[in-house]
Amino acid sequence: MEKKQLDWSNLGFGYIQTDVRFVSNYKDGAWDDGAIVTDANIVLNECAGVFQYAQTIFEGLKAYTTEDGHIVCFRPDLNASRMADSARRLEMPAFPEDRFVDAVVQVVRENAAYVPPFGSGATLYIRPYMMGTNPVIGVKPADEYMFRIFVTPVGPYFKGGAKPLTIKVSDFDRAAPNGTGHIKAGLNYAMSLHAIVTAHEEGYAENMYLDPRTRTKVEETGGANFIFITKDNRLVTPKSNSILPSITRRSLVYVAKHYLDMEVEEREVLLEEVKDFAECGLCGTAAVISPVGKIVDHGSEICLPSGMDEMGPVTKKLYDTLTGIQMGRMEAPEGWIKTIL
């Protein structure tokens, strides 16, 4: 299999259309068999449920080339499970989890020429998504749905290494109490766009959202969970029913406990205690861990001891261990790596 002629080492984090994608449709109470198709365009009625009432959910994961030359993806079963949870919350029919994983394998295998080579710093981003497709004018769930997966090669999220970010405590709420903050729905991300554009205009890389009920507890950013390192090297992650359960965060918790022999606390984290932590990071699929060096709370600066020059030492160990597992340099826990080719 010959790779596409792309400048792998200089790819940005953007969309490049690949050869094929997977499509399955839900009608009359059942999903069809699905198929690999070449057309990247979607034609829908102007009154489709996705346009009228934002019935749409999505996932994000990656495929990459390991050190020994295999093409693999990381824990796709957890993406399948999370997407099923998102579907149920928005009254959409869950796409069967085993078929989700099989569809990921099909799409990556058929687009193998777009999987970046090992050592390039690039990966193949995989985007599964689902939407209501039939006309819906009354406020109710759609009756028909489309599930699709496309892939695109992307460069590293941070060119030239992950420099510590400066973020701000946001005046906006990311999610409502007992709302949809715990699922990966498009509407959550649409609601965060004004807040992130505002943060960027003010010179910040991201927002720190607080809990919507009391606004005293750390939740997450617009697209990543927080991790904190205490001065005695414990890993602390915020616990809340209105944040997205990050697969990367869950994996880092396991790595901390079982690979690095660290104590882990998954609990409510008060904003007032953030100043006492040694390190802070944002974790997610795109960058794995993005270090945070400074948090600005309405003019008051919280400067992490890890500084603004590089990732903190404990965060770096977590990053190196998890990426080592993903890239085949370290032995993975059973079931974490799905070999495609």
PDB file of all heavy atoms in Angstrom, residues 249-264:
ATOM      1  N   ARG A 249      -8.660  11.270  29.697  1.00  0.00           N
ATOM      2  CA  ARG A 249      -8.544  11.429  31.147  1.00  0.00           C
ATOM      3  C   ARG A 249      -8.649  10.081  31.853  1.00  0.00           C
ATOM      4  O   ARG A 249      -7.865   9.771  32.765  1.00  0.00           O
ATOM      5  CB  ARG A 249      -9.630  12.369  31.672  1.00  0.00           C
ATOM      6  CG  ARG A 249      -9.532  12.612  33.184  1.00  0.00           C
ATOM      7  CD  ARG A 249     -10.859  13.071  33.756  1.00  0.00           C
ATOM      8  NE  ARG A 249     -11.933  12.154  33.475  1.00  0.00           N
ATOM      9  CZ  ARG A 249     -12.138  11.023  34.137  1.00  0.00           C
ATOM     10  NH1 ARG A 249     -11.351  10.652  35.120  1.00  0.00           N
ATOM     11  NH2 ARG A 249     -13.144  10.237  33.801  1.00  0.00           N
ATOM     12  N   ARG A 250      -9.599   9.261  31.454  1.00  0.00           N
ATOM     13  CA  ARG A 250      -9.763   7.941  32.053  1.00  0.00           C
ATOM     14  C   ARG A 250      -8.503   7.100  31.871  1.00  0.00           C
ATOM     15  O   ARG A 250      -8.068   6.385  32.772  1.00  0.00           O
ATOM     16  CB  ARG A 250     -10.971   7.231  31.413  1.00  0.00           C
ATOM     17  CG  ARG A 250     -11.455   6.030  32.189  1.00  0.00           C
ATOM     18  CD  ARG A 250     -12.603   5.307  31.498  1.00  0.00           C
ATOM     19  NE  ARG A 250     -13.595   6.178  30.892  1.00  0.00           N
ATOM     20  CZ  ARG A 250     -14.712   5.721  30.308  1.00  0.00           C
ATOM     21  NH1 ARG A 250     -14.936   4.416  30.256  1.00  0.00           N
ATOM     22  NH2 ARG A 250     -15.557   6.550  29.776  1.00  0.00           N
ATOM     23  N   SER A 251      -7.891   7.209  30.711  1.00  0.00           N
ATOM     24  CA  SER A 251      -6.667   6.459  30.430  1.00  0.00           C
ATOM     25  C   SER A 251      -5.502   6.977  31.258  1.00  0.00           C
ATOM     26  O   SER A 251      -4.681   6.201  31.757  1.00  0.00           O
ATOM     27  CB  SER A 251      -6.341   6.530  28.934  1.00  0.00           C
ATOM     28  OG  SER A 251      -7.427   6.035  28.160  1.00  0.00           O
ATOM     29  N   LEU A 252      -5.422   8.303  31.425  1.00  0.00           N
ATOM     30  CA  LEU A 252      -4.349   8.889  32.229  1.00  0.00           C
ATOM     31  C   LEU A 252      -4.476   8.483  33.698  1.00  0.00           C
ATOM     32  O   LEU A 252      -3.470   8.261  34.381  1.00  0.00           O
ATOM     33  CB  LEU A 252      -4.356  10.409  32.107  1.00  0.00           C
ATOM     34  CG  LEU A 252      -3.857  10.969  30.771  1.00  0.00           C
ATOM     35  CD1 LEU A 252      -4.199  12.462  30.655  1.00  0.00           C
ATOM     36  CD2 LEU A 252      -2.354  10.753  30.613  1.00  0.00           C
ATOM     37  N   VAL A 253      -5.701   8.390  34.190  1.00  0.00           N
ATOM     38  CA  VAL A 253      -5.920   7.934  35.569  1.00  0.00           C
ATOM     39  C   VAL A 253      -5.377   6.521  35.747  1.00  0.00           C
ATOM     40  O   VAL A 253      -4.695   6.217  36.736  1.00  0.00           O
ATOM     41  CB  VAL A 253      -7.424   7.997  35.920  1.00  0.00           C
ATOM     42  CG1 VAL A 253      -7.732   7.184  37.175  1.00  0.00           C
ATOM     43  CG2 VAL A 253      -7.857   9.451  36.109  1.00  0.00           C
ATOM     44  N   TYR A 254      -5.638   5.656  34.769  1.00  0.00           N
ATOM     45  CA  TYR A 254      -5.132   4.283  34.837  1.00  0.00           C
ATOM     46  C   TYR A 254      -3.600   4.261  34.775  1.00  0.00           C
ATOM     47  O   TYR A 254      -2.941   3.546  35.545  1.00  0.00           O
ATOM     48  CB  TYR A 254      -5.714   3.461  33.687  1.00  0.00           C
ATOM     49  CG  TYR A 254      -5.345   1.989  33.750  1.00  0.00           C
ATOM     50  CD1 TYR A 254      -6.187   1.072  34.354  1.00  0.00           C
ATOM     51  CD2 TYR A 254      -4.139   1.524  33.214  1.00  0.00           C
ATOM     52  CE1 TYR A 254      -5.859  -0.292  34.424  1.00  0.00           C
ATOM     53  CE2 TYR A 254      -3.786   0.184  33.293  1.00  0.00           C
ATOM     54  CZ  TYR A 254      -4.656  -0.709  33.885  1.00  0.00           C
ATOM     55  OH  TYR A 254      -4.305  -2.041  33.959  1.00  0.00           O
ATOM     56  N   VAL A 255      -3.047   5.047  33.869  1.00  0.00           N
ATOM     57  CA  VAL A 255      -1.591   5.113  33.722  1.00  0.00           C
ATOM     58  C   VAL A 255      -0.952   5.595  35.024  1.00  0.00           C
ATOM     59  O   VAL A 255       0.066   5.055  35.483  1.00  0.00           O
ATOM     60  CB  VAL A 255      -1.213   6.044  32.549  1.00  0.00           C
ATOM     61  CG1 VAL A 255       0.257   6.469  32.625  1.00  0.00           C
ATOM     62  CG2 VAL A 255      -1.489   5.347  31.219  1.00  0.00           C
ATOM     63  N   ALA A 256      -1.535   6.624  35.627  1.00  0.00           N
ATOM     64  CA  ALA A 256      -0.991   7.151  36.875  1.00  0.00           C
ATOM     65  C   ALA A 256      -0.964   6.080  37.964  1.00  0.00           C
ATOM     66  O   ALA A 256       0.039   5.917  38.671  1.00  0.00           O
ATOM     67  CB  ALA A 256      -1.817   8.348  37.332  1.00  0.00           C
ATOM     68  N   LYS A 257      -2.067   5.340  38.084  1.00  0.00           N
ATOM     69  CA  LYS A 257      -2.168   4.328  39.138  1.00  0.00           C
ATOM     70  C   LYS A 257      -1.264   3.126  38.870  1.00  0.00           C
ATOM     71  O   LYS A 257      -0.524   2.677  39.756  1.00  0.00           O
ATOM     72  CB  LYS A 257      -3.616   3.832  39.252  1.00  0.00           C
ATOM     73  CG  LYS A 257      -4.595   4.818  39.835  1.00  0.00           C
ATOM     74  CD  LYS A 257      -5.991   4.193  39.866  1.00  0.00           C
ATOM     75  CE  LYS A 257      -7.026   5.126  40.452  1.00  0.00           C
ATOM     76  NZ  LYS A 257      -8.394   4.536  40.424  1.00  0.00           N
ATOM     77  N   HIS A 258      -1.322   2.603  37.648  1.00  0.00           N
ATOM     78  CA  HIS A 258      -0.744   1.283  37.371  1.00  0.00           C
ATOM     79  C   HIS A 258       0.632   1.313  36.719  1.00  0.00           C
ATOM     80  O   HIS A 258       1.354   0.318  36.761  1.00  0.00           O
ATOM     81  CB  HIS A 258      -1.718   0.478  36.501  1.00  0.00           C
ATOM     82  CG  HIS A 258      -3.041   0.230  37.174  1.00  0.00           C
ATOM     83  ND1 HIS A 258      -3.225  -0.728  38.135  1.00  0.00           N
ATOM     84  CD2 HIS A 258      -4.238   0.852  37.029  1.00  0.00           C
ATOM     85  CE1 HIS A 258      -4.475  -0.710  38.547  1.00  0.00           C
ATOM     86  NE2 HIS A 258      -5.124   0.243  37.896  1.00  0.00           N
ATOM     87  N   TYR A 259       0.999   2.431  36.103  1.00  0.00           N
ATOM     88  CA  TYR A 259       2.314   2.536  35.477  1.00  0.00           C
ATOM     89  C   TYR A 259       3.270   3.399  36.294  1.00  0.00           C
ATOM     90  O   TYR A 259       4.466   3.130  36.329  1.00  0.00           O
ATOM     91  CB  TYR A 259       2.208   3.119  34.059  1.00  0.00           C
ATOM     92  CG  TYR A 259       1.717   2.134  33.018  1.00  0.00           C
ATOM     93  CD1 TYR A 259       0.403   1.686  33.013  1.00  0.00           C
ATOM     94  CD2 TYR A 259       2.565   1.651  32.017  1.00  0.00           C
ATOM     95  CE1 TYR A 259      -0.057   0.797  32.056  1.00  0.00           C
ATOM     96  CE2 TYR A 259       2.118   0.771  31.050  1.00  0.00           C
ATOM     97  CZ  TYR A 259       0.802   0.339  31.077  1.00  0.00           C
ATOM     98  OH  TYR A 259       0.354  -0.551  30.130  1.00  0.00           O
ATOM     99  N   LEU A 260       2.731   4.450  36.924  1.00  0.00           N
ATOM    100  CA  LEU A 260       3.584   5.406  37.637  1.00  0.00           C
ATOM    101  C   LEU A 260       3.413   5.327  39.156  1.00  0.00           C
ATOM    102  O   LEU A 260       4.050   6.090  39.890  1.00  0.00           O
ATOM    103  CB  LEU A 260       3.299   6.834  37.148  1.00  0.00           C
ATOM    104  CG  LEU A 260       3.507   7.073  35.646  1.00  0.00           C
ATOM    105  CD1 LEU A 260       3.193   8.512  35.284  1.00  0.00           C
ATOM    106  CD2 LEU A 260       4.927   6.705  35.213  1.00  0.00           C
ATOM    107  N   ASP A 261       2.549   4.419  39.604  1.00  0.00           N
ATOM    108  CA  ASP A 261       2.358   4.178  41.041  1.00  0.00           C
ATOM    109  C   ASP A 261       1.998   5.463  41.781  1.00  0.00           C
ATOM    110  O   ASP A 261       2.480   5.720  42.887  1.00  0.00           O
ATOM    111  CB  ASP A 261       3.621   3.543  41.649  1.00  0.00           C
ATOM    112  CG  ASP A 261       3.337   2.861  42.993  1.00  0.00           C
ATOM    113  OD1 ASP A 261       2.190   2.417  43.186  1.00  0.00           O
ATOM    114  OD2 ASP A 261       4.251   2.788  43.829  1.00  0.00           O
ATOM    115  N   MET A 262       1.141   6.262  41.180  1.00  0.00           N
ATOM    116  CA  MET A 262       0.698   7.507  41.794  1.00  0.00           C
ATOM    117  C   MET A 262      -0.636   7.319  42.500  1.00  0.00           C
ATOM    118  O   MET A 262      -1.454   6.481  42.111  1.00  0.00           O
ATOM    119  CB  MET A 262       0.538   8.609  40.726  1.00  0.00           C
ATOM    120  CG  MET A 262       1.820   9.048  40.059  1.00  0.00           C
ATOM    121  SD  MET A 262       1.502  10.216  38.689  1.00  0.00           S
ATOM    122  CE  MET A 262       0.739  11.607  39.559  1.00  0.00           C
ATOM    123  N   GLU A 263      -0.869   8.122  43.513  1.00  0.00           N
ATOM    124  CA  GLU A 263      -2.194   8.196  44.110  1.00  0.00           C
ATOM    125  C   GLU A 263      -3.069   9.086  43.231  1.00  0.00           C
ATOM    126  O   GLU A 263      -2.603  10.097  42.696  1.00  0.00           O
ATOM    127  CB  GLU A 263      -2.124   8.775  45.519  1.00  0.00           C
ATOM    128  CG  GLU A 263      -1.477   7.859  46.545  1.00  0.00           C
ATOM    129  CD  GLU A 263      -1.566   8.452  47.940  1.00  0.00           C
ATOM    130  OE1 GLU A 263      -2.546   9.177  48.227  1.00  0.00           O
ATOM    131  OE2 GLU A 263      -0.647   8.201  48.731  1.00  0.00           O
ATOM    132  N   VAL A 264      -4.331   8.696  43.090  1.00  0.00           N
ATOM    133  CA  VAL A 264      -5.257   9.438  42.231  1.00  0.00           C
ATOM    134  C   VAL A 264      -6.502   9.817  43.024  1.00  0.00           C
ATOM    135  O   VAL A 264      -7.048   8.994  43.766  1.00  0.00           O
ATOM    136  CB  VAL A 264      -5.656   8.602  40.991  1.00  0.00           C
ATOM    137  CG1 VAL A 264      -6.725   9.337  40.180  1.00  0.00           C
ATOM    138  CG2 VAL A 264      -4.437   8.310  40.126  1.00  0.00           C
TER     139      VAL A 264
END
